[in-house]
Amino acid sequence: MITIKDVSHRYTMGKKAKETVVPVLSHINFHVQKGEIVSLVGKSGSGKSTLLHIIGGFIKPSSGEVAINGTEITSWDEGRLADFRLQHIGYIFQNFQLIPSMTAAQNIELPLILNGTSKQIRNQKVADMLRQVELEAYPHHYPSELSGGQQQRVAIARALILDPPLILADEPTGSLDSDTEAELLALIQKLNKQNGITFFLITHDQEVAAIADRQLEIKDGQMLQAKGVMPV
Ligand code: ADP
Ligand code: MG
């Protein structure tokens, strides 16, 4: 599902004469198989979010290759990447990133509007998805009227509405209390088991890492292998 081959990345900052180069990732290699839940741990500033943005095609690595679902995306331009992302990758963030002026149902519907789905099918899919994340009683609530756990479930529903095979999550439980976190982790496990969705989860949190089939660790820009067996 995800293949990362010899990926290195450095950020360049400042003007030419005074350019500073910040090396972040060094020769990273790993593979995530379809249907796996893989967690990525590492200290703050170790390059986890950068790696997630590279997997999602938001940042081009300084060198190396990224393939998603067997397709090499490293050389693609932004237009082609945006289409690919919409079909293949759902994102979940620590701070939910819902649109505050839209209701739960409207937030979930947005990717369907972007890909040109008809109104009738949109309504049906949004209703199904609200049921899947157990928010059928809250379609007309705005994000500010929902708890953190409910907002994160809206964010998951939005990430899933186009049936992507892969979900990338950056500290998805970072803003949740422990009960809500347990519910979210149960939902992730259900979606993984029932729908075969692959999850790549960045986390600081041992509870999250514990639901993973495999745990990767990044340190000093290099990938360590913390737990589990690396598939070849
Ligand atoms: P993590 O998610 O593990 O906390 P990040 O990938 O966000 O780490 O950041 C890794 C390093 O890269 C940090 O030193 C950070 O300051 C730097 N960095 C992140 N984004 C940028 C950017 N857009 N420009 C320059 N440096 C950045
Ligand atoms: Mg980060």
Side-chain angles (χ1 to χ4, degrees), residues 55-133:
I55 295 170
F58 289 107
I59 297 179
K60 285 214 190 302
S62 307
S63 61
E65 287 179 11
V66 178
I68 303 297
N69 215 2
T71 308
E72 216 269 287
I73 60 165
T74 329
S75 60
W76 287 12
D77 64 31
E78 187 43 45
R80 204 171 164 201
L81 273 173
D83 279 348
F84 183 81
R85 224 182 263 135
L86 207 55
Q87 302 304 329
H88 291 84
I89 306 177
Y91 280 88
I92 310 171
F93 304 92
Q94 175 174 354
N95 54 0
F96 322 130
Q97 302 213 1
L98 300 175
I99 296 178
S101 60
M102 291 184 166
T103 64
Q106 288 169 336
N107 268 283
I108 297 169
E109 186 185 19
L110 195 56
L112 293 168
I113 294 177
L114 291 177
N115 95 336
T117 306
S118 73
K119 182 71 188 160
Q120 193 188 349
I121 293 178
R122 292 204 306 265
N123 289 345
Q124 192 184 320
K125 288 201 165 196
V126 170
D128 282 351
M129 191 52 75
L130 281 162
R131 255 194 306 281
Q132 269 215 60
V133 298

Side-chain angles (χ1 to χ4, degrees), residues 9-13 20 22-25 40-53 59 170-171 202 204 218:
H9 193 67
R10 57 185 96 85
Y11 289 106
T12 9
M13 301 169 74
T20 345
V22 184
V24 180
L25 300 173
L40 174 64
V41 298
K43 286 191 186 141
S44 184
S46 60
K48 303 182 299 296
S49 295
T50 301
L51 183 57
L52 200 81
H53 288 131
I59 297 179
D170 198 343
E171 314 250 6
I202 291 181
H204 270 103
I218 196 166

Side-chain angles (χ1 to χ4, degrees), residues 176-196:
L176 304 179
D177 61 50
S178 62
D179 285 353
T180 316
E181 168 173 348
E183 283 170 29
L184 185 80
L185 295 179
L187 175 62
I188 288 176
Q189 286 179 299
K190 181 184 97 173
L191 292 166
N192 173 255
K193 293 241 154 47
Q194 290 180 4
N195 306 12

Side-chain angles (χ1 to χ4, degrees), residues 150-169:
Q150 290 169 332
Q151 288 181 61
Q152 195 57 300
R153 296 216 297 277
V154 174
I156 291 193
R158 180 183 59 183
L160 289 169
I161 194 76
L162 296 181
D163 294 320
L166 172 64
I167 299 279
L168 304 177

